[in-house]
Every structure is written in C-alpha cells, then in structure tokens.
Amino acid sequence: MAKRPSAPPSRVRGRGSRESGVDVRGWLGAIRLSGFTAIMLGLVVLAAFVLVPTASTYLEQRQRIAFLQEAVQVSQDKVDALERERSRWQDPAYITTQARERLFYGFPGEVVYIVDDDLDESEQPVEPEPISAEVEETEHDWMSQMLRSVVSAGLTKTAVSEEETVEIDGDVFQPDTSTDQ
C-alpha cells in the first residue's frame, strides 16, 4: 500500500511557495465516489427538482392568501364605516345639520345667508392681523366721503372721458361717442 501524506496537498508545500491557491488536482483526486454516494446524490437532486416547484407554488399561495386577507380587512373597514354613517342618519339632529350645511335649508322664519369666498388661495391672508384691544378712531369721516362719492357719481354726465380708453385683459375699450338723447 502507498503511503498517504498526512496533510492535504495544499499544506504540503512550503510557505515560500509562489502559488497561494489550493491545488485542485490533488483535492479532486482525494475524493472517492462510491455507488451509494452517487445514488444518494442523484436522489437529492431528484428531490430538489420535485420539491422546488411545489415549494414555489406553496409560497405563491401564501402570498395570495395574505393579499386576499388584507383585501377582506379593507372591505370590512369600509362596511363598518358605512354602517356608522347609516346609524348617524338615524339621528334627527344629524339630519337637520346635514340639511342646513349641504342643502342650505333653514327653519321657517330663519334667514339663511350664504357667504361666497371668491378669493384665490394665494390672495387669502395666511395669518390674520392681530386684533387690537383698543378702539381706534378713523382718520376720515367715512359717511360724508361716501355721500360725496354717490353724489358725484350721480351728477356726472359721462362715466369716462372721451380721451380715456380702458384696457381689460388685453382688449382696449373706448367709450361710445354717439349720443342718443
């Protein structure tokens, strides 16, 4: 019988060797395959081919079940919200509130005011100005100023002088020079 080396071929070489890798030929030569090992290796490969599709099908089914359970939960949440909404509509106070807010209904004798907020969001003040606790006196007599404005508007013969032109959105308007009196 031949004498076997006590260490693997990669260790037999000295440390000063130029090759730092493993000697593959020596390693493959040391592997001995028996018939039993080949049959067992074949059975493991066959089991992998049989079980991998089954395992992937199982995992896909588990993912689908999880997705459907989540969809059922979302649907159940929607049903619960609709049932709460339906129970709210059984309350007469809620019905009255909704009629006032959505349909602008009021009780007989009440006057309903609708305030139309026609300002763009960019034109609306972000922070309201602070309200002063002191009463301030106006600089002008607003009543006499309004009366003067109304009287001057009523006594004016023409609203726009003939020399004036008005430009609105790029269109130029001139006053009508014909007199139909």
Side-chain angles (χ1 to χ4, degrees), residues 71-115:
V72 166
Q73 183 63 37
V74 168
S75 298
Q76 186 62 40
D77 292 343
K78 287 181 181 178
V79 167
D80 292 342
L82 290 173
E83 286 177 355
R84 283 192 303 271
E85 182 76 21
R86 190 175 89 192
S87 67
R88 274 192 235 138
W89 282 101
Q90 302 299 323
D91 183 19
Y94 183 77
I95 294 172
T96 303
T97 303
Q98 292 302 311
R100 286 175 177 267
E101 290 178 0
R102 291 185 182 179
L103 304 174
F104 306 112
Y105 283 2
F107 287 112
E110 285 185 341
V111 177
V112 178
Y113 293 100
I114 300 174
V115 178

Short mmCIF file of all heavy atoms in Angstrom, two decimals, residues 71-115:
data_model
loop_
_atom_site.label_atom_id
_atom_site.label_comp_id
_atom_site.label_asym_id
_atom_site.label_seq_id
_atom_site.Cartn_x
_atom_site.Cartn_y
_atom_site.Cartn_z
N ALA A 71 -57.32 42.41 1.64
CA ALA A 71 -58.45 42.97 0.89
C ALA A 71 -59.75 42.78 1.66
O ALA A 71 -60.61 43.68 1.68
CB ALA A 71 -58.55 42.31 -0.49
N VAL A 72 -59.91 41.64 2.31
CA VAL A 72 -61.11 41.40 3.12
C VAL A 72 -61.15 42.39 4.29
O VAL A 72 -62.21 42.94 4.62
CB VAL A 72 -61.15 39.94 3.61
CG1 VAL A 72 -62.18 39.74 4.71
CG2 VAL A 72 -61.44 39.00 2.45
N GLN A 73 -59.99 42.65 4.90
CA GLN A 73 -59.94 43.60 6.02
C GLN A 73 -60.31 45.01 5.57
O GLN A 73 -61.04 45.72 6.26
CB GLN A 73 -58.54 43.58 6.67
CG GLN A 73 -58.43 44.48 7.87
CD GLN A 73 -59.34 44.05 9.00
OE1 GLN A 73 -59.53 42.87 9.23
NE2 GLN A 73 -59.90 45.01 9.69
N VAL A 74 -59.80 45.43 4.41
CA VAL A 74 -60.14 46.75 3.88
C VAL A 74 -61.63 46.84 3.59
O VAL A 74 -62.29 47.83 3.92
CB VAL A 74 -59.30 47.05 2.61
CG1 VAL A 74 -59.82 48.27 1.88
CG2 VAL A 74 -57.84 47.24 2.98
N SER A 75 -62.18 45.80 3.00
CA SER A 75 -63.62 45.79 2.71
C SER A 75 -64.43 45.83 4.00
O SER A 75 -65.46 46.52 4.07
CB SER A 75 -64.00 44.55 1.90
OG SER A 75 -63.35 44.54 0.67
N GLN A 76 -63.99 45.10 5.02
CA GLN A 76 -64.69 45.10 6.29
C GLN A 76 -64.64 46.49 6.94
O GLN A 76 -65.63 46.95 7.52
CB GLN A 76 -64.09 44.05 7.23
CG GLN A 76 -64.84 43.89 8.53
CD GLN A 76 -66.27 43.42 8.32
OE1 GLN A 76 -66.53 42.58 7.49
NE2 GLN A 76 -67.18 43.98 9.08
N ASP A 77 -63.51 47.17 6.82
CA ASP A 77 -63.41 48.53 7.34
C ASP A 77 -64.39 49.47 6.63
O ASP A 77 -65.02 50.32 7.26
CB ASP A 77 -61.98 49.06 7.20
CG ASP A 77 -61.00 48.33 8.11
OD1 ASP A 77 -61.45 47.65 9.06
OD2 ASP A 77 -59.78 48.44 7.84
N LYS A 78 -64.51 49.30 5.30
CA LYS A 78 -65.46 50.13 4.55
C LYS A 78 -66.90 49.85 4.98
O LYS A 78 -67.71 50.76 5.13
CB LYS A 78 -65.32 49.89 3.05
CG LYS A 78 -64.08 50.49 2.45
CD LYS A 78 -64.02 50.22 0.96
CE LYS A 78 -62.76 50.79 0.34
NZ LYS A 78 -62.68 50.49 -1.11
N VAL A 79 -67.22 48.56 5.19
CA VAL A 79 -68.56 48.19 5.63
C VAL A 79 -68.84 48.79 7.00
O VAL A 79 -69.93 49.34 7.25
CB VAL A 79 -68.73 46.66 5.64
CG1 VAL A 79 -69.99 46.24 6.38
CG2 VAL A 79 -68.75 46.12 4.22
N ASP A 80 -67.87 48.73 7.90
CA ASP A 80 -68.05 49.31 9.24
C ASP A 80 -68.27 50.82 9.15
O ASP A 80 -69.12 51.38 9.85
CB ASP A 80 -66.83 49.02 10.12
CG ASP A 80 -66.70 47.54 10.45
OD1 ASP A 80 -67.70 46.80 10.31
OD2 ASP A 80 -65.58 47.12 10.84
N ALA A 81 -67.52 51.50 8.28
CA ALA A 81 -67.69 52.95 8.13
C ALA A 81 -69.07 53.27 7.57
O ALA A 81 -69.73 54.23 8.02
CB ALA A 81 -66.61 53.51 7.21
N LEU A 82 -69.53 52.49 6.62
CA LEU A 82 -70.87 52.73 6.06
C LEU A 82 -71.97 52.45 7.09
O LEU A 82 -72.99 53.15 7.12
CB LEU A 82 -71.08 51.88 4.81
CG LEU A 82 -70.26 52.30 3.60
CD1 LEU A 82 -70.41 51.28 2.48
CD2 LEU A 82 -70.70 53.67 3.11
N GLU A 83 -71.77 51.44 7.93
CA GLU A 83 -72.76 51.18 8.99
C GLU A 83 -72.79 52.31 10.00
O GLU A 83 -73.86 52.69 10.49
CB GLU A 83 -72.45 49.85 9.67
CG GLU A 83 -72.81 48.65 8.82
CD GLU A 83 -72.44 47.33 9.46
OE1 GLU A 83 -71.80 47.34 10.55
OE2 GLU A 83 -72.80 46.29 8.89
N ARG A 84 -71.61 52.87 10.33
CA ARG A 84 -71.59 54.03 11.24
C ARG A 84 -72.30 55.21 10.60
O ARG A 84 -73.05 55.94 11.27
CB ARG A 84 -70.15 54.39 11.59
CG ARG A 84 -69.51 53.49 12.59
CD ARG A 84 -68.20 54.06 13.12
NE ARG A 84 -67.24 54.34 12.07
CZ ARG A 84 -66.35 53.48 11.60
NH1 ARG A 84 -66.31 52.26 12.08
NH2 ARG A 84 -65.51 53.82 10.64
N GLU A 85 -72.08 55.42 9.30
CA GLU A 85 -72.75 56.51 8.58
C GLU A 85 -74.27 56.30 8.59
O GLU A 85 -75.03 57.24 8.79
CB GLU A 85 -72.22 56.57 7.15
CG GLU A 85 -72.80 57.67 6.31
CD GLU A 85 -72.22 59.03 6.63
OE1 GLU A 85 -71.14 59.12 7.21
OE2 GLU A 85 -72.90 60.03 6.31
N ARG A 86 -74.69 55.07 8.38
CA ARG A 86 -76.12 54.77 8.38
C ARG A 86 -76.72 55.00 9.76
O ARG A 86 -77.83 55.55 9.89
CB ARG A 86 -76.36 53.33 7.94
CG ARG A 86 -77.85 53.05 7.70
CD ARG A 86 -78.04 51.67 7.15
NE ARG A 86 -78.18 50.79 8.30
CZ ARG A 86 -78.14 49.48 8.24
NH1 ARG A 86 -77.93 48.88 7.09
NH2 ARG A 86 -78.27 48.75 9.32
N SER A 87 -76.00 54.64 10.80
CA SER A 87 -76.53 54.86 12.15
C SER A 87 -76.59 56.36 12.47
O SER A 87 -77.48 56.80 13.21
CB SER A 87 -75.68 54.13 13.19
OG SER A 87 -74.39 54.69 13.27
N ARG A 88 -75.67 57.17 11.89
CA ARG A 88 -75.74 58.62 12.09
C ARG A 88 -77.00 59.20 11.45
O ARG A 88 -77.58 60.15 11.97
CB ARG A 88 -74.51 59.30 11.49
CG ARG A 88 -73.35 59.34 12.43
CD ARG A 88 -72.29 60.26 11.89
NE ARG A 88 -71.06 59.49 11.81
CZ ARG A 88 -70.21 59.52 10.83
NH1 ARG A 88 -70.42 60.29 9.80
NH2 ARG A 88 -69.13 58.79 10.85
N TRP A 89 -77.38 58.68 10.30
CA TRP A 89 -78.56 59.20 9.62
C TRP A 89 -79.85 58.85 10.34
O TRP A 89 -80.92 59.36 9.98
CB TRP A 89 -78.61 58.70 8.17
CG TRP A 89 -77.68 59.47 7.30
CD1 TRP A 89 -76.45 59.09 6.88
CD2 TRP A 89 -77.89 60.77 6.76
NE1 TRP A 89 -75.87 60.06 6.10
CE2 TRP A 89 -76.74 61.11 6.01
CE3 TRP A 89 -78.93 61.70 6.84
CZ2 TRP A 89 -76.61 62.31 5.34
CZ3 TRP A 89 -78.79 62.89 6.17
CH2 TRP A 89 -77.65 63.19 5.44
N GLN A 90 -79.80 58.03 11.37
CA GLN A 90 -80.99 57.73 12.18
C GLN A 90 -81.24 58.83 13.21
O GLN A 90 -82.32 58.92 13.77
CB GLN A 90 -80.83 56.37 12.89
CG GLN A 90 -80.59 55.20 11.96
CD GLN A 90 -81.73 54.98 10.97
OE1 GLN A 90 -82.89 55.17 11.30
NE2 GLN A 90 -81.37 54.63 9.75
N ASP A 91 -80.24 59.67 13.45
CA ASP A 91 -80.35 60.74 14.44
C ASP A 91 -80.96 61.98 13.79
O ASP A 91 -80.43 62.50 12.81
CB ASP A 91 -78.94 61.06 14.97
CG ASP A 91 -78.96 62.11 16.06
OD1 ASP A 91 -80.01 62.34 16.67
OD2 ASP A 91 -77.89 62.70 16.31
N PRO A 92 -82.10 62.50 14.33
CA PRO A 92 -82.73 63.69 13.74
C PRO A 92 -81.83 64.93 13.77
O PRO A 92 -81.88 65.76 12.87
CB PRO A 92 -83.98 63.90 14.59
CG PRO A 92 -84.22 62.61 15.29
CD PRO A 92 -82.90 61.93 15.40
N ALA A 93 -80.99 65.07 14.77
CA ALA A 93 -80.11 66.24 14.85
C ALA A 93 -79.08 66.20 13.72
O ALA A 93 -78.76 67.24 13.13
CB ALA A 93 -79.40 66.28 16.20
N TYR A 94 -78.58 65.03 13.39
CA TYR A 94 -77.63 64.89 12.30
C TYR A 94 -78.29 65.23 10.96
O TYR A 94 -77.70 65.90 10.11
CB TYR A 94 -77.05 63.47 12.27
CG TYR A 94 -76.00 63.27 11.22
CD1 TYR A 94 -74.71 63.75 11.40
CD2 TYR A 94 -76.30 62.60 10.03
CE1 TYR A 94 -73.74 63.57 10.43
CE2 TYR A 94 -75.33 62.42 9.06
CZ TYR A 94 -74.06 62.91 9.26
OH TYR A 94 -73.11 62.74 8.30
N ILE A 95 -79.51 64.78 10.79
CA ILE A 95 -80.24 65.07 9.55
C ILE A 95 -80.45 66.57 9.42
O ILE A 95 -80.28 67.15 8.34
CB ILE A 95 -81.59 64.32 9.53
CG1 ILE A 95 -81.33 62.81 9.45
CG2 ILE A 95 -82.45 64.77 8.36
CD1 ILE A 95 -82.57 61.97 9.61
N THR A 96 -80.82 67.23 10.51
CA THR A 96 -81.03 68.68 10.48
C THR A 96 -79.73 69.40 10.13
O THR A 96 -79.71 70.32 9.30
CB THR A 96 -81.53 69.16 11.85
OG1 THR A 96 -82.73 68.46 12.17
CG2 THR A 96 -81.81 70.65 11.85
N THR A 97 -78.64 68.98 10.74
CA THR A 97 -77.34 69.60 10.46
C THR A 97 -76.95 69.42 9.00
O THR A 97 -76.49 70.38 8.35
CB THR A 97 -76.27 68.98 11.37
OG1 THR A 97 -76.66 69.13 12.72
CG2 THR A 97 -74.92 69.63 11.14
N GLN A 98 -77.13 68.23 8.46
CA GLN A 98 -76.78 67.99 7.06
C GLN A 98 -77.67 68.80 6.12
O GLN A 98 -77.20 69.29 5.09
CB GLN A 98 -76.89 66.49 6.74
CG GLN A 98 -75.84 65.64 7.44
CD GLN A 98 -74.44 66.08 7.09
OE1 GLN A 98 -74.10 66.26 5.93
NE2 GLN A 98 -73.61 66.26 8.11
N ALA A 99 -78.95 68.95 6.45
CA ALA A 99 -79.83 69.75 5.60
C ALA A 99 -79.40 71.21 5.60
O ALA A 99 -79.45 71.89 4.57
CB ALA A 99 -81.27 69.61 6.07
N ARG A 100 -78.97 71.70 6.73
CA ARG A 100 -78.50 73.09 6.81
C ARG A 100 -77.19 73.29 6.05
O ARG A 100 -77.03 74.25 5.32
CB ARG A 100 -78.30 73.51 8.27
CG ARG A 100 -79.57 73.75 9.02
CD ARG A 100 -79.25 74.05 10.48
NE ARG A 100 -80.43 74.35 11.22
CZ ARG A 100 -80.91 75.57 11.40
NH1 ARG A 100 -80.29 76.60 10.86
NH2 ARG A 100 -81.99 75.78 12.09
N GLU A 101 -76.23 72.37 6.23
CA GLU A 101 -74.91 72.55 5.63
C GLU A 101 -74.88 72.23 4.15
O GLU A 101 -74.31 72.96 3.36
CB GLU A 101 -73.89 71.66 6.36
CG GLU A 101 -73.58 72.13 7.76
CD GLU A 101 -72.61 71.20 8.47
OE1 GLU A 101 -72.18 70.20 7.87
OE2 GLU A 101 -72.29 71.49 9.63
N ARG A 102 -75.50 71.11 3.76
CA ARG A 102 -75.41 70.68 2.36
C ARG A 102 -76.45 71.34 1.46
O ARG A 102 -76.15 71.69 0.32
CB ARG A 102 -75.57 69.17 2.26
CG ARG A 102 -74.42 68.40 2.84
CD ARG A 102 -74.63 66.93 2.58
NE ARG A 102 -73.56 66.13 3.15
CZ ARG A 102 -73.53 64.82 3.08
NH1 ARG A 102 -74.48 64.17 2.46
NH2 ARG A 102 -72.53 64.16 3.62
N LEU A 103 -77.66 71.45 1.95
CA LEU A 103 -78.75 71.94 1.11
C LEU A 103 -79.16 73.37 1.42
O LEU A 103 -80.06 73.91 0.78
CB LEU A 103 -79.96 71.01 1.26
CG LEU A 103 -79.69 69.54 0.95
CD1 LEU A 103 -80.92 68.70 1.29
CD2 LEU A 103 -79.29 69.36 -0.49
N PHE A 104 -78.55 73.98 2.42
CA PHE A 104 -78.81 75.36 2.83
C PHE A 104 -80.28 75.55 3.22
O PHE A 104 -80.87 76.57 2.91
CB PHE A 104 -78.40 76.35 1.72
CG PHE A 104 -76.99 76.18 1.28
CD1 PHE A 104 -76.70 75.70 0.01
CD2 PHE A 104 -75.95 76.48 2.14
CE1 PHE A 104 -75.39 75.53 -0.40
CE2 PHE A 104 -74.63 76.32 1.73
CZ PHE A 104 -74.36 75.84 0.46
N TYR A 105 -80.84 74.55 3.87
CA TYR A 105 -82.22 74.66 4.37
C TYR A 105 -82.20 75.37 5.71
O TYR A 105 -81.20 75.41 6.42
CB TYR A 105 -82.84 73.28 4.57
CG TYR A 105 -83.30 72.61 3.30
CD1 TYR A 105 -83.13 73.18 2.06
CD2 TYR A 105 -83.92 71.38 3.35
CE1 TYR A 105 -83.56 72.56 0.91
CE2 TYR A 105 -84.35 70.74 2.20
CZ TYR A 105 -84.16 71.34 0.99
OH TYR A 105 -84.60 70.73 -0.15
N GLY A 106 -83.31 75.93 6.06
CA GLY A 106 -83.47 76.58 7.35
C GLY A 106 -84.88 76.36 7.85
O GLY A 106 -85.77 75.93 7.12
N PHE A 107 -85.07 76.64 9.10
CA PHE A 107 -86.41 76.53 9.67
C PHE A 107 -87.26 77.70 9.19
O PHE A 107 -86.73 78.75 8.81
CB PHE A 107 -86.33 76.50 11.20
CG PHE A 107 -85.80 75.21 11.74
CD1 PHE A 107 -84.57 75.15 12.37
CD2 PHE A 107 -86.54 74.04 11.63
CE1 PHE A 107 -84.09 73.97 12.86
CE2 PHE A 107 -86.06 72.84 12.12
CZ PHE A 107 -84.84 72.81 12.75
N PRO A 108 -88.58 77.55 9.21
CA PRO A 108 -89.45 78.67 8.80
C PRO A 108 -89.17 79.90 9.66
O PRO A 108 -89.05 79.81 10.88
CB PRO A 108 -90.85 78.13 9.02
CG PRO A 108 -90.72 76.65 8.98
CD PRO A 108 -89.36 76.35 9.51
N GLY A 109 -89.03 81.02 8.99
CA GLY A 109 -88.76 82.27 9.68
C GLY A 109 -87.29 82.60 9.79
O GLY A 109 -86.93 83.72 10.12
N GLU A 110 -86.42 81.64 9.52
CA GLU A 110 -84.99 81.90 9.57
C GLU A 110 -84.53 82.46 8.23
O GLU A 110 -85.08 82.15 7.18
CB GLU A 110 -84.21 80.60 9.82
CG GLU A 110 -84.27 80.12 11.23
CD GLU A 110 -83.37 78.90 11.43
OE1 GLU A 110 -83.02 78.24 10.45
OE2 GLU A 110 -83.05 78.63 12.58
N VAL A 111 -83.52 83.30 8.29
CA VAL A 111 -82.90 83.82 7.07
C VAL A 111 -81.56 83.13 6.91
O VAL A 111 -80.72 83.16 7.81
CB VAL A 111 -82.72 85.35 7.16
CG1 VAL A 111 -82.01 85.87 5.94
CG2 VAL A 111 -84.06 86.02 7.36
N VAL A 112 -81.34 82.52 5.77
CA VAL A 112 -80.10 81.80 5.51
C VAL A 112 -79.19 82.70 4.68
O VAL A 112 -79.58 83.18 3.62
CB VAL A 112 -80.38 80.48 4.76
CG1 VAL A 112 -79.07 79.77 4.47
CG2 VAL A 112 -81.29 79.59 5.58
N TYR A 113 -78.01 82.95 5.19
CA TYR A 113 -77.02 83.75 4.48
C TYR A 113 -75.95 82.82 3.93
O TYR A 113 -75.43 81.97 4.64
CB TYR A 113 -76.36 84.77 5.41
CG TYR A 113 -77.32 85.83 5.89
CD1 TYR A 113 -77.90 85.76 7.16
CD2 TYR A 113 -77.64 86.91 5.08
CE1 TYR A 113 -78.77 86.72 7.60
CE2 TYR A 113 -78.51 87.88 5.52
CZ TYR A 113 -79.08 87.78 6.77
OH TYR A 113 -79.94 88.74 7.19
N ILE A 114 -75.60 83.01 2.67
CA ILE A 114 -74.54 82.24 2.05
C ILE A 114 -73.40 83.20 1.73
O ILE A 114 -73.58 84.17 1.00
CB ILE A 114 -75.02 81.56 0.75
CG1 ILE A 114 -76.17 80.61 1.07
CG2 ILE A 114 -73.87 80.83 0.08
CD1 ILE A 114 -76.80 80.00 -0.16
N VAL A 115 -72.24 82.94 2.31
CA VAL A 115 -71.07 83.76 2.08
C VAL A 115 -70.20 83.04 1.06
O VAL A 115 -69.74 81.93 1.29
CB VAL A 115 -70.29 83.99 3.39
CG1 VAL A 115 -69.04 84.81 3.13
CG2 VAL A 115 -71.18 84.66 4.41
#
